[in-house]
Amino acid sequence: MMQLIPAFQSPDEIVHLLRADMVAHGQPLLKGQEPGVQDRTGGWVDIHFFQFSQWMQKIVGPHRDTSLSPTWLMSEATRFDWMDDEVFVNAAATGYYAPFIYLPHALGLKLSRELDLSMGHSYQLTRMLVTLLVFGLVFWAWQIGRPSLLVQALVLMPMALFQIISPTIDGLCFALALLVLSLFLQQWQEGKATRWQAFAFYGAIFLLVTSRTNLIPIVLLPMVLLLRHRSWQRLAATATLLAASAGWTLYGMIHTQDGRVVRALSTGQIIGAYLREPVEFLRLVGRTIADPFQGHLIVSSFVGNLGWADAPIPRFALATIGCGLLLAALLTVAATRYQKADLAIRATLVLAALGSAMLAFFALAVTWNPYPVRVIEGLQGRYFIIPAMLLAAALGPVRLAPVESPPLPVHRAFVLLYAMFCLGVLATTLQGRYGMGAAVFDF
């Protein structure tokens, strides 16, 4: 599947990889171009790497240059090496994200330099390393406890798979969310975790909260664990997590100056306006969902509007996968034994899911849109995949079954057919959009 996707074709992938190159250069925090400037707006990246990203941007979006072949651009990228000379690049869009989420990408780029690889091969190596890490995290989560059928169906959607095999932070966040869910259910049930599991649980939540602001509500998970299984160690870990997450979030809000959108009011003023009128904000969310264009964009980019929202899957595939998700939900509910004792854990997951979804609307409203506004623009369905996972986990079994226990035959058949359909749709859509063929990996 990777061979069917040219470089820098996932939403915001360019700025994410440029930020990763800054981290690889030893620049964990954004800064101003001139010494002494306090505004954190960008950083220094390799000139050839920046030019590589700009080449690939020419085939992005509805106004792309159709005379350029993605295959030719990727082959040309193998002719250029790292220049070891730098150019300042604006990366304000990533200023809200802690640098730790970019460490796997930075490792790939740093290793590529040490191996003296070309631009094209450096990208391929970085993409493979990040994707292998995602697979490793998913495998670890699966070993702890098999996710519900609905969670599996969400991960297998073309949009989710596309992000998983693209070197952005979305695939890592999906895997970290699966790991957090498995560790949360395990600790809720058993009341304990190994040292590595505890470190992974709190560390993964910190990475999620500091790289996806709308996921702040998942801090509810360690807080309810603390109430259920009290201990000084858990109290210290939860307090440290909350302090670190809040500290970075405030730092990012204060020091990020994003000049891409010119507005009459500052982000802080817009936040205050919506907090004073919460009902009006809820009406704004309702208008956005009901809007024919924005509502359809959210749904289509949740399931499979690939590329830079310029490679939608066919309508019949969108409808088929939607029916598959509905069937997965019904099968999940039918196979789940609901007990009064599990009400608290299910309520926690539902609150985290709804809170994360609402914060996605809120974050875009206060950072990307003017005030007042009729509908919230800039929302993409992929922002809601992790909240959907949380909601799906609340609907499914919350008592972990042994990994060795086989899934129900009907579940196994559904996953096989659903996965084959999603992979087929993904492959045909990518081939039709980019026409890359299979001869890309030519180390």
Side-chain angles (χ1 to χ4, degrees):
M1 290 295 177
M2 289 182 186
Q3 298 179 62
L4 301 176
I5 311 174
F8 299 105
Q9 296 306 301
S10 177
D12 301 328
E13 182 179 335
I14 291 177
V15 71
H16 284 312
L17 283 183
L18 293 178
R19 176 72 185 278
D21 192 46
M22 297 173 197
V23 175
H25 273 76
Q27 304 170 59
L29 302 178
L30 300 184
K31 56 186 178 182
Q33 185 170 2
E34 299 297 332
V37 176
Q38 295 301 314
D39 294 341
R40 270 64 172 173
T41 56
W44 298 87
V45 300
D46 186 274
I47 290 180
H48 276 181
F49 191 62
F50 174 70
Q51 291 176 341
F52 178 31
S53 70
Q54 301 310 295
W55 300 339
M56 304 309 298
Q57 196 170 18
K58 294 179 179 180
I59 59 172
V60 164
H63 304 296
R64 58 184 178 271
D65 188 346
T66 56
S67 66
L68 291 176
S69 164
T71 303
W72 179 80
L73 285 173
M74 288 299 292
S75 65
E76 283 293 293
T78 62
R79 297 177 51 243
F80 293 87
D81 301 320
W82 293 93
M83 191 174 182
D84 293 326
D85 197 5
E86 300 175 344
V87 61
F88 188 87
V89 175
N90 181 18
T94 68
Y96 300 97
Y97 308 147
F100 311 106
I101 195 71
Y102 294 106
L103 290 178
H105 311 73
L107 175 63
L109 296 175
K110 187 71 173 179
L111 183 59
S112 299
R113 278 194 184 84
E114 297 299 323
L115 296 175
D116 198 24
L117 299 182
S118 67
M119 291 290 99
H121 292 148
S122 297
Y123 177 86
Q124 292 169 9
L125 176 62
T126 302
R127 177 164 59 180
M128 284 189 286
L129 287 178
V130 174
T131 303
L132 285 174
L133 175 59
V134 171
F135 287 163
L137 291 172
V138 172
F139 180 76
W140 186 10
W142 186 282
Q143 291 301 303
I144 297 171
R146 184 186 302 114
S148 70
L149 189 64
L150 183 54
V151 172
Q152 296 177 52
L154 290 169
V155 176
L156 287 170
M157 293 188 304
M159 192 71 227
L161 291 175
F162 179 77
Q163 292 301 103
I164 285 173
I165 59 178
S166 299
T168 66
I169 62 175
D170 278 8
L172 273 177
C173 288
F174 296 161
L176 289 170
L178 289 173
L179 183 60
V180 166
L181 281 172
S182 294
L183 290 170
F184 173 66
L185 296 179
Q186 179 197 51
Q187 292 180 75
W188 181 276
Q189 183 173 315
E190 300 178 3
K192 59 182 180 180
T194 67
R195 181 176 299 178
W196 279 109
Q197 288 174 338
F199 178 81
F201 178 68
Y202 293 100
I205 292 178
F206 174 75
L207 288 174
L208 287 171
V209 169
T210 56
S211 59
R212 283 287 178 259
T213 308
N214 69 296
L215 297 181
I216 288 176
I218 66 172
V219 298
L220 286 172
L221 275 57
M223 293 173 68
V224 297
L225 282 179
L226 175 61
L227 294 176
R228 179 177 173 86
H229 304 289
R230 295 183 180 87
S231 71
W232 288 110
Q233 294 88 343
R234 198 180 295 278
L235 174 62
T238 303
T240 302
L241 169 65
L242 294 176
S245 301
W248 175 265
T249 300
L250 291 174
Y251 176 88
M253 291 178 61
I254 293 172
H255 292 282
T256 299
Q257 301 294 328
D258 192 349
R260 294 175 299 167
V261 180
V262 178
R263 302 177 301 178
L265 300 180
S266 67
T267 297
Q269 291 174 321
I270 297 176
I271 290 175
Y274 284 127
L275 291 180
R276 288 191 297 270
E277 299 179 355
V279 176
E280 177 57 33
F281 174 73
L282 292 178
R283 293 195 186 102
L284 175 61
V285 172
R287 291 197 301 269
T288 303
I289 296 174
D291 184 76
F293 177 78
Q294 293 296 333
H296 180 267
L297 179 61
I298 293 173
V299 172
S300 63
S301 58
F302 177 81
V303 176
N305 198 350
L306 311 179
W308 285 64
D310 57 3
I313 64 175
R315 285 185 175 271
F316 86 91
L318 183 65
T320 302
I321 294 173
C323 292
L325 292 173
L326 178 59
L327 178 58
L330 294 175
L331 291 174
T332 297
V333 171
T336 301
R337 183 184 177 188
Y338 295 96
Q339 303 180 46
K340 188 175 181 180
D342 299 329
L343 181 60
I345 187 173
R346 295 187 190 279
T348 300
L349 291 170
V350 169
L351 286 175
L354 296 179
S356 297
M358 292 301 296
L359 268 183
F361 286 96
F362 189 79
L364 265 292
V366 302
T367 60
W368 189 251
N369 289 262
Y371 179 87
V373 66
R374 191 185 71 83
V375 297
I376 302 172
E377 297 183 356
L379 278 167
Q380 299 183 39
R382 60 191 174 93
Y383 301 155
F384 301 97
I385 292 179
I386 292 179
M389 290 180 186
L390 294 169
L391 185 59
L395 291 176
V398 293
R399 299 178 186 273
L400 296 179
V403 177
E404 297 79 10
S405 61
L408 296 174
V410 64
H411 287 195
R412 183 181 298 173
F414 171 83
V415 170
L416 177 62
L417 295 174
Y418 179 85
M420 290 175 60
F421 183 81
C422 289
L423 288 169
V425 170
L426 178 63
T428 54
T429 302
L430 293 175
Q431 178 61 26
R433 169 64 177 84
Y434 301 111
M436 286 289 292
V440 176
F441 293 102
D442 54 351
F443 285 96

